[in-house]
């Protein structure tokens, strides 16, 4: 066995390596295999900015799974209601905030139409549907025999095959790593007969959760398609939905033709008589200026990209452990890492349902960005993380300065439920949640551990300064107690409290301290002056609220452990030790209080109402408290479910997939593998023969 030397933060640690051939064996042992469509989740190829979801035929023949991207969005037309015809007409609502009336970006009941428009627009567009056309309408999945499908995660390939009318159809597909292109190789004698490929285009709808499928195909008069150019080897279809338009380029080897649309539809059909069809399909907001990659090019680039993804970065090998629990944990790790690159390695913060379907209209939530993007850093894929960080924060600095200024605060207040322009959707929770604010500090500090140099300091400096300025300004100095309070009004991580009484929530207080500590350290590392307000606020932040010897949700909460509505939703108190490092200023955390809090959560929390990343958070808390078995139990909790293809199940409150679950699992398992400062990993159950490689200890 090979031994590698790996430089860890603060010292040299010897770790057993996991050679590429072994990584490949582990990854491929969890390749997804299906013999029928799931109807709820596809299998996907993609690259973080573009993904294609296939049913069991390898295309979208029977199930219109999505073809989603980072860039394709649509607005419905603005309302025509008097005084609500422009986004500038929207006023929001004024709430009392420490004796000041502050305008919050909340739906105004007197302006229902424009408020609703701002929530529902823009939506992410499902760019199309590509499926088999059997030459007649009445074919169903049940008419196909010997259906078999393998997603090879090592090379990013979906291989599907089935029998129809006594003949075999074989399909192989890859997505290009950097363009919005799929390449499809189809082999079948039926191509010389009735078998063709259809292309169809849906209309976006105004569903908050548009899952499992996005858009509708039966409102054809509300949008337009046109076959713009066609030859014997290519076709271009332009799809126009109000102000949005984009192009689908189809090209194939040999000869054939695209015809359509059929009357009353937006369905086009490619017929290319051959026994072996090489097809590429590409999506673009503009007509292409460069030559599209060939099928061979897409296949080769995809394989190279995926192999370097798996061969690079960190790895956990549990294959020598004889335990079903270890096997299931390994499966979740591998499929989560595949889905991370496909769905979350994006130029914008990823959507909670990635590029599978639309939750919250396809918008992304900035507080979820920590769960969704951090695993790229923790697993050593900074090249993918830097697609969005810190660029998005830099891009949205001006609008975030304005948001803070309009409310009388300094610095930059980050939005919440966001679209690519950085506009935050109106919402009571959206406008009053605050835990997304210190995320830049978390990202920056993690990056600095891997790249402790001036480039890193310079890249993040303006963002951290603006963030810390807001945080210091937001904290309210309470003359009677002599401390800085957070809220009211505000929503804590658990979005189920009364915002007008919510004051000093445990997690947010700890996170404010962490954020201001990092911001101050960032200045010191650059030999720059630390703004005194940051230190003043940090040093006089209200103490963490304690109730019955436990850390409470917020100060003054009643019925903390007795009221089922209080002991439910996200148990964020566990995050002050699970997610955050011990405080580097102020009072230390009390271990007995941390232990009692963890025990109370385990005993009384309504975990059946939790959705997902709660389990990873609790697992990390258990780890730091030294209870590895409990950490594993949380990560394999029956409510924390993953389907056969590794998609995290949303449950009753959010649709499937809900990627903060799988992405947080990667953060928790990175912590098991790499440990944290003062407690080097790996931390796995006694007797587990685990090999890990490439992890930097957690903060
Ligand atoms: C939707 O409308 C908003 C407000 O006018 C605009 O900022 C945004 O760019 C539009 N997005 C699209 C995709 O048209
Ligand atoms: C629209 O605004 C005008 C001018 O502010 C006002 O006079 C009018 O009553 C408003 N109309 C409605 C329907 O609110
Ligand atoms: C909070 O207070 C504002 C007034 O400042 C009021 O309009 C709002 O309805 C209150 N919200 C709740 C949930 O009590
Ligand atoms: C399906 O449709 C074709 C003609 O389009 C017809 O010949 C055939 O009988 C139909 N089969 C079934 C099972 O309905
Ligand atoms: C259009 O399709 C959707 C599902 O895609 C369905 O719910 C709806 O009933 C259909 N509408 C009509 C008018 O057929
Ligand atoms: C197209 O469909 C419409 C109704 O869906 C029908 O009235 C019209 O005759 C059809 N045209 C052709 C050319 O089939
Ligand atoms: C410094 O860190 C950046 C990332 O912020 C990295 O790209 C670069 O290679 C590092 N430079 C040196 C000299 O280590
Ligand atoms: C100051 O803190 C006390 C105790 O938490 C609280 O009752 C009071 O409302 C606070 N004062 C202000 C002005 O918020
Ligand atoms: C800060 O100052 C120290 C001591 O003068 C020096 O060694 C270091 O290079 C400086 N760092 C930066 C980023 O300028
Ligand atoms: C597997 O995990 C479950 C709960 O997470 C636990 O009850 C069980 O003892 C574990 N099995 C083994 C063999 O460790």
């Amino acid at each position: 066995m090979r031994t590698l030397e790996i430089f860890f933060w603060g010292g040299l640690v010897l770790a057993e390596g996991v050679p590429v051939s072994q990584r490949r064996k582990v990854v491929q042992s969890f390749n997804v295999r299906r013999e029928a469509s799931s109807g709820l989740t596809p299998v996907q190829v993609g690259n973080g900015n573009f993904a294609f979801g296939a049913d069991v035929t390898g295309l979208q023949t029977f199930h219109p799974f999505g073809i989603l991207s980072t860039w394709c969005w649509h607005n419905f037309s603005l309302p025509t209601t008097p005084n609500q015809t422009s986004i500038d007409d929207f006023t929001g609502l004024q709430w009392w905030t420490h004796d000041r009336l502050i305008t919050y970006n909340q739906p105004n009941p007197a302006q229902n139409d424009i408020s609703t428009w701002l929530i529902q627009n823009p939506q992410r567009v499902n760019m199309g549907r590509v499926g088999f056309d059997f030459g007649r309408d009445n074919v169903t999945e049940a008419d196909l025999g010997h259906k078999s499908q393998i997603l090879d995660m090592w090379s990013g390939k979906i291989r599907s095959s089935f029998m129809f009318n006594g003949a075999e159809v074989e399909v192989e597909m890859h997505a290009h790593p950097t363009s919005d292109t799929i390449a499809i190789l189809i082999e079948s004698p039926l191509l010389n007969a009735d078998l063709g490929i259809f292309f169809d285009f849906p209309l976006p709808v105004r569903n908050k959760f548009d899952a499992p499928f996005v858009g509708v195909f039966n409102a054809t008069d509300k949008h337009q398609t046109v076959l713009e150019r066609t030859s014997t080897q290519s076709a271009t279809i332009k799809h126009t939905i109000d102000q949005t338009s984009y192009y689908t380029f189809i090209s194939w080897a040999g000869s054939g033709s695209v015809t359509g649309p059929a009357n009353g539809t937006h369905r086009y059909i490619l017929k290319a008589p051959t026994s072996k069809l090489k097809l590429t399909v590409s999506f673009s907001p503009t007509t292409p200026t460069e030559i599209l990659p060939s099928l061979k090019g897409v296949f080769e680039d995809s394989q190279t990209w995926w192999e370097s993804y798996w061969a690079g970065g960190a790895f956990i090998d549990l294959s020598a452990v004889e335990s079903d629990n270890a096997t299931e944990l390994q499966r979740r790790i591998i499929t989560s890492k595949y889905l991370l690159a496909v769905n979350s390695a994006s130029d914008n913060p990823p959507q909670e349902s990635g590029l599978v379907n639309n939750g919250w209209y396809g918008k992304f939530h900035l507080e979820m960005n920590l769960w969704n993007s951090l695993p790229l850093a923790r697993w050593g894929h900074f090249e993918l993380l830097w697609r969005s960080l810190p660029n998005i924060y830099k891009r949205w600095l001006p609008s975030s300065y304005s948001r803070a200024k309009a409310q009388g605060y300094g610095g930059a207040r980050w939005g919440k439920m966001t679209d690519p322009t950085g506009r935050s959707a109106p919402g009571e929770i959206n406008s009053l949640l605050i835990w997304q604010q210190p995320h830049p500090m978390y990202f920056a500090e993690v990056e600095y551990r891997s790249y402790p140099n001036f480039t890193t300091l310079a890249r993040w400096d303006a963002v951290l300064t603006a963030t810390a300025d807001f945080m210091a300004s937001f904290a309210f100095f309470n003359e009677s107690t002599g401390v800085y309070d957070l809220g009211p009004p505000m929503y804590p991580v658990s979005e189920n409290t009364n915002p007008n009484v919510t004051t000093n929530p445990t997690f947010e207080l700890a996170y404010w301290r962490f954020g201001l500590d990092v911001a101050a350290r960032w200045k010191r590392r650059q030999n720059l002056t630390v703004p005194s307000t940051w230190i003043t606020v940090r040093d006089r932040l209200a103490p963490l609220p304690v109730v019955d010897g436990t850390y409470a949700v917020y100060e003054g909460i009643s019925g903390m452990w007795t009221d089922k509505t209080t002991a439910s939703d996200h148990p964020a108190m566990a995050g002050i030790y699970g997610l955050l490092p011990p405080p580097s200023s102020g009072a230390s955390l009390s271990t007995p209080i941390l232990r009692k809090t963890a025990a109370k959560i385990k005993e009384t929390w309504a975990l059946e109402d939790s959705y997902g990343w709660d389990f990873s958070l609790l697992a990390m808390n258990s780890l730091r408290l030294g209870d590895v078995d409990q950490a594993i139990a949380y990560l394999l909790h029956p409510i924390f479910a993953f389907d056969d293809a590794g998609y995290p199940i949303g449950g009753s409150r959010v649709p499937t997939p809900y990627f903060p679950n799988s992405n947080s699992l990667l953060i928790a398992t990175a912590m098991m593998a790499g440990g944290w400062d003062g407690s080097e990993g790996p931390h796995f159950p006694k007797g587990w023969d685990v090999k890990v490689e490439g992890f930097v200890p957690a903060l």
Side-chain angles (χ1 to χ4, degrees):
M1 199 161 300
R2 204 153 66 95
T3 302
L4 292 184
E5 286 182 358
I6 298 169
F7 283 96
F8 277 167
W9 174 253
L12 180 69
V13 174
L14 291 178
E16 281 180 296
V18 187
V20 173
S21 59
Q22 175 63 12
R23 290 182 176 213
R24 178 179 181 140
K25 210 173 123 196
V26 173
V27 170
Q28 291 188 322
S29 70
F30 296 98
N31 278 348
V32 176
R33 285 154 206 275
R34 282 183 171 171
E35 291 178 353
S37 299
S38 113
L40 190 60
T41 61
V43 293
Q44 283 177 296
V45 290
N47 60 34
N49 281 311
F50 166 80
F52 180 98
D55 68 16
V56 78
T57 66
L59 299 179
Q60 298 157 333
T61 309
F62 300 114
H63 297 276
F65 288 115
I67 307 176
L68 301 189
S69 71
T70 304
W71 52 266
C72 197
W73 295 75
H74 164 259
N75 280 332
F76 285 102
S77 56
L78 282 154
T80 52
T81 327
N83 299 351
Q84 298 188 47
T85 56
S86 149
I87 61 174
D88 298 327
D89 290 336
F90 173 76
T91 60
L93 288 180
Q94 293 194 313
W95 278 27
W96 287 106
T97 305
H98 296 296
D99 297 330
R100 290 195 296 136
L101 270 178
I102 285 188
T103 300
Y104 291 99
N105 182 15
Q106 296 181 3
N108 183 336
Q111 295 188 311
N112 199 36
D113 293 349
I114 191 67
S115 302
T116 303
W117 189 92
L118 287 164
I119 294 168
Q120 297 182 335
N121 291 278
Q123 330 80 45
R124 200 183 293 250
V125 171
N126 175 13
M127 298 191 292
R129 176 176 179 189
V130 182
F132 282 110
D133 181 89
F134 295 98
R136 52 186 171 87
D137 290 341
N138 54 8
V139 178
T140 68
E141 194 171 308
D143 297 323
L144 310 188
H146 296 97
K147 294 181 286 275
S148 160
Q149 181 166 58
I150 298 181
L151 167 65
D152 179 34
M153 292 184 283
W154 184 262
S155 63
K157 173 172 70 185
I158 302 173
R159 206 171 178 292
S160 317
S161 60
F162 56 87
M163 300 286 288
F164 180 66
N165 269 356
E168 185 160 35
V169 179
E170 288 181 78
V171 191
E172 234 178 86
M173 179 189 299
H174 283 270
H176 194 261
T178 55
S179 82
D180 306 279
T181 305
I182 45 164
I184 314 164
L185 177 66
I186 302 168
E187 290 187 68
S188 176
L190 296 176
L191 290 166
N192 279 311
D194 286 338
L195 190 66
I197 312 297
F198 74 76
F199 301 85
D200 207 342
F201 300 89
L203 179 77
V205 293
R206 295 173 172 88
N207 292 340
K208 177 178 177 184
F209 297 137
D210 211 14
F213 310 121
V214 183
V216 293
F217 292 82
N218 56 7
T220 50
D221 57 334
K222 297 198 171 60
H223 56 128
Q224 299 81 42
T225 55
V226 57
L227 189 55
E228 277 218 329
R229 270 182 310 191
T230 171
S231 75
T232 56
Q233 296 204 327
S234 69
T236 304
I237 300 167
K238 181 179 183 183
H239 185 199
T240 303
I241 324 158
D242 304 310
Q243 303 303 305
T244 297
S245 60
Y246 63 92
Y247 300 84
T248 304
F249 304 104
I250 307 162
S251 79
W252 58 93
S255 89
S257 65
V258 167
T259 56
N263 189 24
T265 75
H266 290 296
R267 192 173 274 229
Y268 297 80
I269 294 181
L270 165 66
K271 291 297 298 287
T274 177
S275 56
K276 190 167 177 175
L277 177 61
K278 295 177 182 177
L279 181 66
T280 63
V281 184
S282 193
F283 298 85
S284 167
T286 55
T287 51
T289 51
E290 47 188 293
I291 296 177
L292 293 172
S294 65
L295 177 129
K296 187 161 175 280
V298 176
F299 276 30
E300 285 173 3
D301 289 357
S302 166
Q303 282 177 37
T304 307
W305 190 72
W306 278 105
E307 288 183 21
S308 66
Y309 177 68
W310 290 114
F315 204 85
I316 298 175
D317 181 359
L318 302 177
S319 61
V321 188
E322 280 176 36
S323 145
D324 291 347
N325 284 355
T327 307
E328 177 57 12
L329 188 62
Q330 179 88 74
R331 182 184 81 91
R332 292 178 180 203
I333 290 171
I334 297 295
T335 53
S336 296
K337 260 210 90 180
Y338 179 78
L339 295 170
L340 171 73
V342 170
N343 291 285
S344 302
S346 163
D347 291 347
N348 283 321
Q351 184 185 184
E352 264 138 288
S353 49
L355 299 169
V356 177
N357 54 47
N358 278 353
W360 293 274
Y361 311 96
K363 298 182 185 187
F364 30 85
H365 290 125
L366 288 192
E367 84 284 12
M368 286 297 113
N369 197 28
L370 190 76
W371 294 125
N372 286 329
S373 295
L374 189 64
L376 292 169
R378 300 290 292 115
W379 286 74
H381 295 289
F382 282 93
E383 73 289 357
L384 298 178
L385 185 73
W386 290 331
R387 287 176 171 179
S388 69
L389 293 180
N391 316 347
I392 51 143
Y393 290 114
K394 288 182 175 166
R395 234 165 76 206
W396 299 332
L397 257 183
S399 58
S400 300
Y401 274 123
S402 307
R403 184 178 293 116
K405 190 170 175 205
Q407 299 181 336
Y409 298 117
R413 180 173 195 161
W414 306 112
K416 207 265 189 193
M417 174 178 154
T418 304
D419 69 47
T421 68
R423 183 172 67 72
S424 193
E428 186 172 305
I429 292 172
N430 291 352
S431 64
L432 294 171
L433 204 73
I434 63 168
W435 68 287
Q436 71 273 39
Q437 304 305 329
H439 285 354
M441 281 78 165
Y442 204 109
F443 284 121
E445 191 65 16
V446 167
E447 184 172 323
Y448 191 74
R449 302 194 141 211
S450 292
Y451 298 97
N453 69 32
F454 190 75
T455 312
T456 307
L457 294 172
R459 274 152 62 80
W460 282 96
D461 188 60
V463 169
L464 296 203
T465 303
T467 305
D469 282 346
F470 169 73
M471 287 167 57
S473 164
F474 177 81
F476 172 79
F477 188 67
N478 186 324
E479 303 278 354
S480 60
T481 54
V483 300
Y484 282 93
D485 288 334
L486 299 182
M490 64 162 293
Y491 274 101
V493 175
S494 52
E495 300 169 350
N496 61 351
T497 66
N498 178 345
N500 287 330
V501 302
T502 303
T503 314
N504 293 329
T506 293
F507 180 76
E508 282 76 0
L509 279 175
Y511 208 16
W512 240 242
R513 173 175 298 285
F514 167 84
L516 292 171
D517 273 334
V518 171
R521 204 177 302 146
W522 212 258
K523 290 294 179 197
R524 285 196 298 269
R525 282 171 181 155
Q526 299 172 85
N527 294 338
L528 298 173
T529 311
V530 179
S532 60
T533 53
W534 300 358
I535 302 303
T536 308
V537 170
R538 180 197 73 183
D539 288 345
R540 295 176 81 172
L541 270 178
L544 303 183
V546 174
V547 169
D548 295 337
T550 64
Y551 289 116
V553 172
Y554 66 86
E555 186 182 308
I557 191 170
S558 63
M560 178 61 233
W561 299 105
T562 50
D563 182 341
K564 264 289 174 194
T565 62
T566 305
S568 70
D569 208 288
H570 304 301
M573 309 87 79
I576 65 172
Y577 202 47
L579 187 61
L580 304 183
S584 54
S585 67
S588 328
L589 300 178
S590 150
T591 306
I593 298 180
L594 287 167
R595 285 196 187 287
K596 188 165 177 197
T597 309
K600 275 289 195 185
I601 291 172
K602 188 180 170 205
E603 206 178 291
T604 64
W605 206 264
L607 285 178
E608 63 281 7
D609 293 334
S610 285
Y611 45 106
W613 54 266
D614 300 359
F615 295 96
S616 305
L617 187 78
L618 292 171
M620 290 192 282
N621 190 43
S622 302
L623 272 184
R624 271 208 236 246
L625 288 170
D627 194 345
V628 177
D629 292 329
Q630 181 60 55
I632 297 281
Y634 277 131
L635 293 180
L636 298 177
H637 194 284
I639 303 279
F640 193 49
F642 293 70
D643 81 358
D644 67 305
Y647 289 96
I649 306 289
S652 59
R653 297 175 61 183
V654 293
T656 298
Y658 189 70
F659 283 119
N661 297 12
S662 51
N663 289 333
S664 66
L665 177 120
L666 291 174
I667 297 171
T669 48
M671 192 172 179
M672 298 182 116
W676 53 94
D677 288 348
S679 184
E680 277 152 16
H683 295 288
F684 286 92
K686 235 194 198 93
W688 283 29
D689 173 11
V690 178
K691 290 172 201 68
V692 305
E693 183 178 14
F695 289 97
V696 170
L699 293 179

